[in-house]
Amino acid sequence: MTLTPQAEAFVAEWRSPSPFVTAHTSGSTGTPKEIRLPKADMRASAHATLRHFGITSDSLLHLPLSPSYIAGKMHIVRAIEAGCSLITEPPSNHPLSTLPDGFASRIDLLPVVPSQIAGLLASPHLGLVGSLIIGGAPLSPADEAAVNAAGVNAYATYGMTETCSHVALRRLGHPSFTALPGFTFTTDSRGCLVITTGTMSFGRLVTNDIVDLLSDDSFIWRGRFDNVINSAGLKIHPEELERLIAPHIPHGTRFYVTSRQSRRWGQEAILVTDNPSVTKAILDTIEPILPPHTCPKDVLTDRQMALTSSQKIIRRRF
């Protein structure tokens, strides 16, 4: 293995006598918290991914993410459990940039986050990537289209720190997530996903993710229950609006849909961006493409948009 100092530190933790690994939640829906993940759960998660992608001792994995986060930790565990080769590099927006010019080995599995997509697509080594998994934050329609156009075998992931990374994958260009081996799905009374597993210690985990359940092993993700806007009895899912609005937002602009109090509607949707050039004029453009009665009522500028350590937007309600 070719390891960064951070990766070496995690390998030492992994090989310690403790049955647990310390990890931290993302903090996107609250204060990040420290949790202890059973190594047995991490092994089970790793083997589910290895089986799905056909990773063996002859494979090569590459890691351009920090082992401080669950995605980075789990990719190292996958390599250890498979007994295969692993190359790590310091995280940057230009993954694969540390590979030498003549490097020609197939990279069987590469995990990235959305902010790395542009740099990856510009890499001369892109053609070496066998399978790509993208997680950490929702993927924009533009990025998804660009990855598909590049012909990469790519998947969006669904999971969280508590599940030791992903429990389901969605092939880019397709709407639904499919369970990895060992996981099944139901929903609760809110329409939120419930994960059941016989291979990991949590057994059953109730999430705050609203989904359309297609079967016990597939679903379409709609958004977070925490973010739902109840406007005059109509439930608006901000994430769905954001996917439709994204093509009309200037490149590089951070934005999200949230709510504010309204005397008339109880709550009303508003669009928040960090770009003052995005004004209320955009509402006339996006209203025809949004579901009826869901168009934001106003546009606010927040140049100091709060972000988590993994660069997820921390949504405010006004």
Side-chain angles (χ1 to χ4, degrees):
M1 292 186 181
T2 305
L3 303 179
T4 62
Q6 273 190 313
E8 288 179 345
F10 172 71
V11 170
E13 181 182 12
W14 180 254
R15 291 176 173 163
S16 74
S18 172
F20 300 98
V21 163
T22 300
H24 295 83
T25 59
S26 68
S28 56
T29 59
T31 303
K33 60 180 180 180
E34 183 176 290
I35 59 176
R36 295 199 307 167
L37 298 175
K39 290 178 180 176
D41 283 1
M42 297 175 75
R43 290 189 182 96
S45 172
H47 282 282
T49 301
L50 297 175
R51 288 197 298 274
H52 180 89
F53 288 103
I55 304 299
T56 69
S57 58
D58 295 325
S59 300
L60 170 64
L61 306 187
H62 190 93
L63 178 63
L65 303 174
S66 170
S68 298
Y69 300 104
I70 189 61
K73 296 180 194 297
M74 283 305 309
H75 211 52
I76 297 172
V77 175
R78 291 172 198 134
I80 292 172
E81 291 298 298
C84 68
S85 299
L86 171 69
I87 299 173
T88 67
E89 65 179 64
S92 75
N93 284 333
H94 299 279
L96 308 184
S97 60
T98 61
L99 295 177
D101 290 341
F103 188 87
S105 298
R106 172 187 164 96
I107 297 169
D108 293 282
L109 187 60
L110 176 72
V112 297
V113 294
S115 62
Q116 295 176 307
I117 292 295
L120 175 63
L121 294 180
S123 170
H125 302 295
L126 177 64
L128 301 177
V129 178
S131 294
L132 178 71
I133 51 177
I134 307 166
L139 189 62
S140 73
D143 281 342
E144 182 157 342
V147 174
N148 275 334
V152 183
N153 181 42
Y155 297 80
T157 65
Y158 174 84
M160 56 208 72
T161 305
E162 293 88 338
T163 61
C164 302
S165 189
H166 50 265
V167 299
L169 297 169
R170 178 180 67 82
R171 186 184 287 273
L172 296 199
H174 297 261
S176 60
F177 285 89
T178 301
L180 287 181
F183 300 96
T184 57
F185 305 126
T186 56
T187 54
D188 66 8
S189 59
R190 304 169 300 162
C192 289
L193 187 71
V194 179
I195 304 166
T196 302
T197 177
T199 62
M200 299 179 70
S201 63
F202 62 80
R204 181 176 183 271
L205 180 66
V206 179
T207 76
N208 279 329
D209 289 300
I210 297 175
V211 301
D212 291 331
L213 192 68
L214 304 180
S215 68
D216 66 356
D217 68 352
S218 64
F219 63 87
I220 295 174
W221 184 80
R222 299 189 66 192
R224 295 282 297 176
F225 180 81
D226 322 59
N227 299 334
V228 171
I229 301 167
N230 192 334
S231 184
L234 176 67
K235 290 186 177 179
I236 299 173
H237 297 275
E239 294 90 347
E240 292 185 345
L241 301 192
E242 289 160 8
R243 286 192 288 273
L244 296 171
I245 293 170
H248 303 276
I249 299 291
H251 180 72
T253 298
R254 290 191 172 99
F255 75 98
Y256 63 98
V257 174
T258 186
S259 68
R260 72 179 176 193
Q261 294 300 307
S262 166
R263 288 186 179 181
R264 182 175 184 183
W265 310 111
Q267 293 180 331
E268 62 185 13
I270 58 172
L271 175 64
V272 182
T273 85
D274 65 356
N275 185 346
S277 71
V278 180
T279 66
K280 285 189 70 172
I282 196 175
L283 302 181
D284 293 331
T285 300
I286 63 176
E287 183 171 15
I289 65 170
L290 301 180
H293 313 298
T294 64
C295 186
K297 307 295 186 186
D298 200 359
V299 177
L300 302 185
T301 300
D302 181 3
R303 291 193 174 188
Q304 303 298 321
M305 204 171 282
L307 304 173
T308 68
S309 59
S310 57
Q311 301 303 296
K312 292 182 183 178
I313 293 172
I314 299 175
R315 297 167 182 263
R316 295 174 55 195
R317 291 184 185 257
F318 291 82

